[in-house]
Amino acid sequence: MQSLVPTQVPTCPMCKAAAPAPDCVWRSQRLPSSRCQTRRQAAFSVSKQVTRRQSHLRSATEVKNEESQTDASDDGMLKEGEVYEVELVKPLGIRFARGSDGGAYVTRSDPNLGNTDTMVQPGDKILKVSASFGNDIWDAINYGQVMYAIKTRNGQVYMQLKSNGGDISVMQEAETPASKQFKQERSGGDYGEGTREMQSRNYITRKENERKRREMFDDALDKFKQKDIEGALVLFEEVLGMEPPNYLGDDFSRITQIFRVSQYNISCCYSAMNQVDAGLDALEAALRSGFEQFNKVREDPNLDNLRKNERFDKIVNQYDEKVIDFSGLKNFFGFGKKKS
């Protein structure tokens, strides 16, 4: 849509008044020429004042920007690539996700969720983390290992992080020429080569990721059976981190089955390590995600250590809805009774 163009009104070249200007000596010779000269000098004087004011405003803006940059550095804002350290008491107010490189990245830092630090920002990468026990510091090899270290840590959690300046692209799929073309076609309502290539590539990528997750899941099961509980736990955490975004199953589920089972197996790992609190938290997360094999939960010997805790029954009963005996209700209200 095009707006109307304002009509150009002819003006006097001396006094700038709209023509005709009867009081302008240049147009009508009714007034002395000093009238136009006076107006021109006045306009020049105003223009000079405006120029000085704009110069002053620019200087004030530059000073304000410098002050804001100084304040930002004083508030603990870090530059991209800068490495820093934090040591926090659990529970942490930080949430993590698996990046495209397999590393652990910060997705959220909220003091309402637990303890955190103002330096920690979304997109920052974990470089080092304190070991589960003792004073050792581990290099952050992958997401699963970092999650295992944090969840099993007794006492304060040490982390060395690298600031990414708020950039979270590493946790998102990289944009390709096909994806760009797909977005252009979608915005234009077209279905072309970019859309077909994008759909084909997404299908191949999804199947490849499913294969990798299944292999990782099977390896974790083997490690658990071989009593390598820590190794199994790290791999199960990796499986959780590979959960596809915006998943929608054939049954309209938003969470994959392998995620639910892996979350349950994590609770079994913690139980085997006698990490009761971490195991109960993992069990609750499994039930919340849709794991519904309640008989197995109540009878699985791998959860014996968790079952001794009073929280166990509260968690299970919260998600295991009691089955209503409708026949009893019918008899109670008199339905279905034979007439005498």
Side-chain angles (χ1 to χ4, degrees), residues 26-129:
W26 187 82
R27 298 289 293 173
S28 62
Q29 298 294 329
R30 294 180 181 180
L31 294 175
S33 60
S34 59
R35 177 67 179 271
C36 280
Q37 182 69 18
T38 302
R39 292 192 178 187
R40 187 170 58 183
Q41 290 176 351
F44 176 76
S45 177
V46 172
S47 176
K48 200 171 183 181
Q49 292 177 6
V50 171
T51 302
R52 285 199 299 266
R53 180 178 296 179
Q54 290 176 344
S55 176
H56 173 71
L57 289 176
R58 284 197 297 270
S59 300
T61 303
E62 292 173 357
V63 172
K64 188 175 181 180
N65 290 338
E66 293 176 358
E67 291 177 351
S68 63
Q69 292 176 0
T70 304
D71 293 340
S73 61
D74 293 340
D75 291 340
M77 299 296 291
L78 302 177
K79 298 180 180 179
E80 183 177 356
E82 189 171 351
V83 176
Y84 62 97
E85 299 173 331
V86 294
E87 193 166 4
L88 304 169
V89 178
K90 296 170 68 174
L92 302 184
I94 306 173
R95 298 296 179 263
F96 306 91
R98 187 177 187 272
S100 57
D101 59 352
Y105 290 82
V106 176
T107 59
R108 186 179 180 186
S109 178
D110 188 350
N112 295 321
L113 301 176
N115 297 309
T116 184
D117 191 284
T118 55
M119 292 188 295
V120 181
Q121 299 296 325
D124 292 357
K125 183 178 183 179
I126 315 299
L127 301 179
K128 295 180 182 293
V129 63

Side-chain angles (χ1 to χ4, degrees), residues 244-288:
N246 304 321
Y247 172 80
L248 182 62
D250 296 335
D251 58 350
F252 300 102
S253 173
R254 306 296 308 209
I255 300 176
T256 60
Q257 180 67 14
I258 194 172
F259 181 95
R260 300 169 187 163
V261 178
S262 296
Q263 188 69 74
Y264 173 78
N265 290 344
I266 287 175
S267 66
C268 294
C269 290
Y270 283 128
S271 178
M273 299 170 62
N274 204 25
Q275 295 273 348
V276 178
D277 289 336
L280 291 172
D281 291 342
L283 177 61
E284 185 173 9
L287 299 179
R288 187 169 56 247

Side-chain angles (χ1 to χ4, degrees), residues 76-293:
M77 299 296 291
L78 302 177
K79 298 180 180 179
E80 183 177 356
E82 189 171 351
V83 176
Y84 62 97
E85 299 173 331
V86 294
E87 193 166 4
L88 304 169
V89 178
K90 296 170 68 174
L92 302 184
I94 306 173
R95 298 296 179 263
F96 306 91
R98 187 177 187 272
S100 57
D101 59 352
Y105 290 82
V106 176
T107 59
R108 186 179 180 186
S109 178
D110 188 350
N112 295 321
L113 301 176
N115 297 309
T116 184
D117 191 284
T118 55
M119 292 188 295
V120 181
Q121 299 296 325
D124 292 357
K125 183 178 183 179
I126 315 299
L127 301 179
K128 295 180 182 293
V129 63
S130 52
S132 298
F133 305 97
N135 299 322
D136 292 343
I137 304 297
W138 291 346
D139 290 332
I141 300 175
N142 54 44
Y143 170 83
Q145 177 229 20
V146 172
M147 293 300 99
Y148 161 71
I150 293 176
K151 292 180 180 179
T152 58
R153 175 67 181 174
N154 291 323
Q156 291 185 327
V157 177
Y158 165 86
M159 290 183 292
Q160 184 187 85
L161 303 95
K162 184 180 73 171
S163 173
N164 278 330
D167 183 11
I168 60 173
S169 59
V170 71
M171 293 179 287
Q172 301 172 345
E173 185 179 0
E175 191 172 32
T176 62
S179 62
K180 292 181 180 179
Q181 187 176 354
F182 166 72
K183 290 180 180 179
Q184 293 174 356
E185 292 175 357
R186 184 176 61 179
S187 62
D190 298 330
Y191 180 87
E193 185 63 29
T195 302
R196 287 190 292 270
E197 183 179 349
M198 189 71 176
Q199 291 175 340
S200 175
R201 188 171 63 86
N202 287 343
Y203 176 81
I204 295 173
T205 302
R206 184 172 67 252
K207 290 300 181 181
E208 179 65 16
N209 289 338
E210 289 176 359
R211 183 189 64 80
K212 290 181 179 179
R213 287 186 85 191
R214 185 52 192 260
E215 290 180 356
M216 195 175 294
F217 179 87
D218 293 339
D219 290 342
L221 280 181
D222 292 339
K223 288 182 179 295
F224 185 83
K225 294 175 181 178
Q226 297 168 6
K227 305 302 181 182
D228 182 6
I229 307 301
E230 294 183 0
L233 185 54
V234 169
L235 288 180
F236 281 131
E237 289 284 1
E238 279 284 297
V239 173
L240 295 188
M242 294 179 68
E243 180 75 356
N246 304 321
Y247 172 80
L248 182 62
D250 296 335
D251 58 350
F252 300 102
S253 173
R254 306 296 308 209
I255 300 176
T256 60
Q257 180 67 14
I258 194 172
F259 181 95
R260 300 169 187 163
V261 178
S262 296
Q263 188 69 74
Y264 173 78
N265 290 344
I266 287 175
S267 66
C268 294
C269 290
Y270 283 128
S271 178
M273 299 170 62
N274 204 25
Q275 295 273 348
V276 178
D277 289 336
L280 291 172
D281 291 342
L283 177 61
E284 185 173 9
L287 299 179
R288 187 169 56 247
S289 68
F291 188 84
E292 297 179 340
Q293 300 182 37

